[in-house]
Amino acid sequence: MAKARSAPDVWILVSTLLILTIGVIMVYSASGVLAFREFGDWFYYLKRQLLFAVLGIVAMFFTMNTDYWVWKKYAKIGLLICFGLLLAVLIPGIGVVRGGARSWLGIGSFGIQPSEFMKIGMIVFLAKLLSERQSQITLFTKGLLPPLGLVGLAFGLIMLQPDLGTGAVLVGASLLVIYTAGARILHLSYLAMAGVAGFVGLIIAAPYRLQRITAFMDPWSDPLGAGYQSIQSLYAIGPGGLAGLGLGMSRQKYSYLPEPQTDFIFSIIAEELGFIGGAAVLILFTILVWRGMRTAITAPDTFGSLVAVGIVGMIAVQVIINIGVVIGMFPVTGITLPLISAGGSSLTLMLTSIGVLLNISRYSR
């Protein structure tokens, strides 16, 4: 497929780099105390973030300059590899347990999270499958069930780790792709009801999830246990006020708020930079999502449109869940804020995915 391509969408590129820059600064601000206490090095998490940010930027510029339909050729083998990695991580001795979940493959402090690969792998495969069978998507058995079966299988393997947050992002982004491809609202409504029932079952099956729901409803019922993170997060956000306490002046990062550099980094942003800083971050994400959806609408083919929808959906769902948890709207799920939270494979793969989105924008009508 030979098409003339133009410059990538500058709004997507600039908003991405600005969010990433804010992330690097805030990772250092949020993690310096923790890094010195655990590793004797104030810059431990900053150096890791810079390393993966540089790797991610290189990958982003590579995918931005690689014609996006190339990935269509490798969609099937890519998905098989992702399933293989999800299976490997469940094997004792191969999968590494961190934070109570067997979600990692690697040695020491360096590793990859196969569920992160699955998110983009599933998006690309669904885009290929549904763009080739778009006429069948309105049929429940032949059109809708096969892609949903794949998503359900991937979700099930992720839940065996267990990692509900990543699984929720995978399902959310995948359903957006399926809906955009033309699935009937009635069919999706029935499946949504079944999904809610299954979600309730997952909560009941694991006592710690039930504790998180209880803590979400009333954090003060267990202020030193299940409700601790939510309470400390609100203690960080509250004093921030309009302009914040000042960059580097957080109080909650002094061992009060768990995971200040990852899951709850937005709490530190609100504490140090106030409402203005938090709103600026949300505006940048809004620009990224807006221009991403515009790219999806103006993409030259169905495959490109569905890939763009999936990538934008992946970002938007993750942002909504993370910030919803931080401000007490959702139960604690353990999910990071894209491009901002300290991360390795998650940060690099997010930038790689945005590179694909930028390449699609180069062919937009």
Side-chain angles (χ1 to χ4, degrees):
M1 184 185 293
K3 292 180 181 289
R5 65 184 185 184
S6 58
D9 190 306
V10 68
W11 290 89
I12 295 176
L13 181 60
V14 171
S15 59
T16 297
L17 294 177
L18 285 174
I19 295 170
L20 182 64
T21 301
I22 292 171
V24 170
I25 294 170
M26 293 310 304
V27 163
Y28 172 62
S29 179
S31 69
V33 174
L34 178 66
F36 184 77
R37 189 187 72 208
E38 293 188 350
F39 305 102
D41 180 2
W42 291 89
F43 303 100
Y44 177 82
Y45 288 106
L46 173 63
K47 289 186 286 189
R48 284 176 56 87
Q49 190 75 352
L50 284 171
L51 170 63
F52 289 111
V54 170
L55 290 175
I57 289 173
V58 171
M60 181 179 72
F61 278 93
F62 172 76
T63 52
M64 184 179 75
N65 291 288
T66 302
D67 296 334
Y68 68 87
W69 52 81
V70 169
W71 310 117
K72 190 174 184 179
K73 300 177 182 178
Y74 304 105
K76 185 180 293 185
I77 185 66
L79 187 68
L80 289 173
I81 291 172
C82 290
F83 272 114
L85 291 173
L86 282 182
L87 289 170
V89 82
L90 298 174
I91 301 173
I94 298 179
V96 178
V97 178
R98 295 181 185 176
R102 190 182 296 277
S103 305
W104 298 81
L105 293 173
I107 300 173
S109 59
F110 286 91
I112 62 170
Q113 203 168 358
S115 55
E116 296 292 335
F117 288 84
M118 176 54 81
K119 287 190 293 188
I120 185 63
M122 182 63 73
I123 287 169
V124 173
F125 182 81
L126 288 178
K128 168 184 165 61
L129 178 69
L130 297 174
S131 64
E132 293 174 349
R133 303 183 185 180
Q134 197 170 9
S135 60
Q136 299 179 351
I137 190 61
T138 55
L139 304 175
F140 184 78
T141 304
K142 292 183 178 180
L144 188 58
L145 278 186
L148 283 178
L150 285 172
V151 175
L153 178 60
F155 178 75
L157 291 174
I158 292 172
M159 287 306 301
L160 290 176
Q161 298 177 6
D163 188 352
L164 180 59
T166 302
V169 173
L170 171 74
V171 171
S174 299
L175 287 178
L176 280 173
V177 173
I178 293 170
Y179 170 72
T180 305
R184 295 179 61 187
I185 290 291
L186 182 63
H187 292 163
L188 293 176
S189 299
Y190 290 150
L191 290 168
M193 289 187 285
V196 169
F199 185 73
V200 172
L202 287 173
I203 292 173
I204 296 173
Y208 77 92
R209 294 193 194 111
L210 190 58
Q211 289 176 351
R212 287 181 176 180
I213 296 295
T214 304
F216 163 67
M217 300 298 293
D218 181 14
W220 289 100
S221 64
D222 189 9
L224 298 179
Y228 182 78
Q229 285 179 301
S230 296
I231 291 171
Q232 296 303 319
S233 177
L234 295 176
Y235 277 163
I237 294 171
L242 180 63
L245 302 178
L247 184 63
M249 301 304 292
S250 167
R251 300 163 184 161
Q252 290 299 108
K253 67 184 180 183
Y254 286 89
S255 302
Y256 294 105
L257 178 64
E259 308 297 338
Q261 80 283 10
T262 54
D263 301 354
F264 285 88
I265 196 167
F266 190 77
S267 304
I268 305 300
I269 292 174
E271 185 182 15
E272 295 189 348
L273 306 181
F275 174 81
I276 294 173
V281 170
L282 291 177
I283 289 170
L284 288 172
F285 275 120
T286 301
I287 292 171
L288 177 57
V289 170
W290 161 53
R291 298 301 293 191
M293 291 308 297
R294 183 181 182 278
T295 297
I297 293 170
T298 58
D301 59 8
T302 303
F303 174 73
S305 180
L306 294 179
V307 170
V309 165
I311 293 171
V312 173
M314 177 176 65
I315 296 169
V317 171
Q318 196 162 330
V319 169
I320 290 169
I321 293 176
N322 177 272
I323 294 181
V325 167
V326 164
I327 64 177
M329 290 183 63
F330 301 142
V332 176
T333 57
I335 196 168
T336 57
L337 188 60
L339 301 174
I340 292 183
S341 295
S345 57
S346 59
L347 175 61
T348 304
L349 285 170
M350 183 61 71
L351 287 167
T352 303
S353 302
I354 292 174
V356 176
L357 181 64
L358 284 165
N359 183 260
I360 297 171
S361 75
R362 301 187 71 170
Y363 295 95
S364 295
R365 296 186 299 273

